[in-house]
Amino acid sequence: MTETLSTVARLRAATASDHDAVDAGFGRYDLSDADDYRAFLIAHAKALPAVEAWLAAIPGLGAVRSRETALAEDLAALGEDMPAPMAFDVMPSEAAGWGAMYVVEGSRLGGIMLSRSVPEGMPSAYLGSKHLSGEWRALLAAIDDEPADDAWVERAIVGAKAAFDLYRRAPA
């Protein structure tokens, strides 16, 4: 008997190398160094607002709890304006939206871990913007509850890979 993987498990498996590439790209920043931290936030500011705006335009996903304001406030505290966002040009669909949401919301988990490296006195509202109680589990359950055939899962993977790719290119 073959076990069928959940949609989230399929997303995770299909994007593992994309996730690793993003982690490697952002892992080069020393968040205890003011210049590196500023560059790290600028790179995030090129990607996050583009994906969040795209997600907000997709019906059926529900409200996106944006972190753009927290990111802008942290950059302003470091004397920086928000950079122009990169283009996030993915065919919008609910499935692709869930895939991109998986990436954007998953980055909150990493952000909490990374916020521990930011020295006291440095702005960290963006990295410290954690999930509300149960929010991550609810998102994963919502993805798994979607009536997802193989084509739906493939569109979700396309959305997730596109979001990871945007973050991968942002530090350049």
Side-chain angles (χ1 to χ4, degrees), residues 50-51 53-55 57-59 61 87-101 151-163:
V51 181
W54 180 85
L55 286 169
I58 297 176
L61 287 183
F88 188 65
D89 189 22
V90 176
M91 178 67 72
S93 71
E94 192 172 331
W98 283 114
M101 181 86 80
W152 192 98
V153 173
E154 283 305 312
R155 287 190 303 276
I157 290 168
V158 165
K161 284 182 164 290

Side-chain angles (χ1 to χ4, degrees), residues 9-66:
R10 291 173 69 183
L11 261 175
R12 188 176 292 125
T15 61
S17 64
D18 304 276
H19 191 179
D20 291 345
V22 169
D23 284 351
F26 280 99
R28 71 173 197 229
Y29 294 105
D30 175 0
L31 302 187
S32 67
D33 176 84
D35 290 335
D36 265 15
Y37 184 51
R38 182 180 294 107
F40 172 92
L41 291 176
I42 289 169
H44 274 256
K46 291 178 184 176
L48 179 79
V51 181
E52 285 187 349
W54 180 85
L55 286 169
I58 297 176
L61 287 183
V64 174
R65 202 163 58 83
S66 177

Side-chain angles (χ1 to χ4, degrees), residues 7-167:
T7 300
V8 169
R10 291 173 69 183
L11 261 175
R12 188 176 292 125
T15 61
S17 64
D18 304 276
H19 191 179
D20 291 345
V22 169
D23 284 351
F26 280 99
R28 71 173 197 229
Y29 294 105
D30 175 0
L31 302 187
S32 67
D33 176 84
D35 290 335
D36 265 15
Y37 184 51
R38 182 180 294 107
F40 172 92
L41 291 176
I42 289 169
H44 274 256
K46 291 178 184 176
L48 179 79
V51 181
E52 285 187 349
W54 180 85
L55 286 169
I58 297 176
L61 287 183
V64 174
R65 202 163 58 83
S66 177
R67 291 180 287 162
E68 182 177 357
T69 300
L71 185 51
E73 288 171 356
D74 285 353
L75 281 171
L78 295 171
E80 292 288 335
D81 292 327
M82 286 288 281
M86 297 170 68
F88 188 65
D89 189 22
V90 176
M91 178 67 72
S93 71
E94 192 172 331
W98 283 114
M101 181 86 80
Y102 166 80
V103 174
V104 169
E105 288 302 313
S107 75
R108 281 187 199 266
L109 298 173
I112 292 299
M113 300 296 292
L114 293 173
S115 70
R116 298 176 185 148
S117 301
V118 177
E120 195 155 325
M122 296 272 277
S124 61
Y126 171 65
L127 288 180
S129 181
K130 63 184 179 182
H131 288 112
L132 302 174
S133 181
E135 191 176 27
W136 177 243
R137 285 186 304 283
L139 173 69
L140 298 181
I143 293 170
D144 278 339
D145 287 346
E146 285 293 313
D149 59 12
D150 285 344
W152 192 98
V153 173
E154 283 305 312
R155 287 190 303 276
I157 290 168
V158 165
K161 284 182 164 290
F164 274 124
D165 185 59
L166 192 69
Y167 276 95

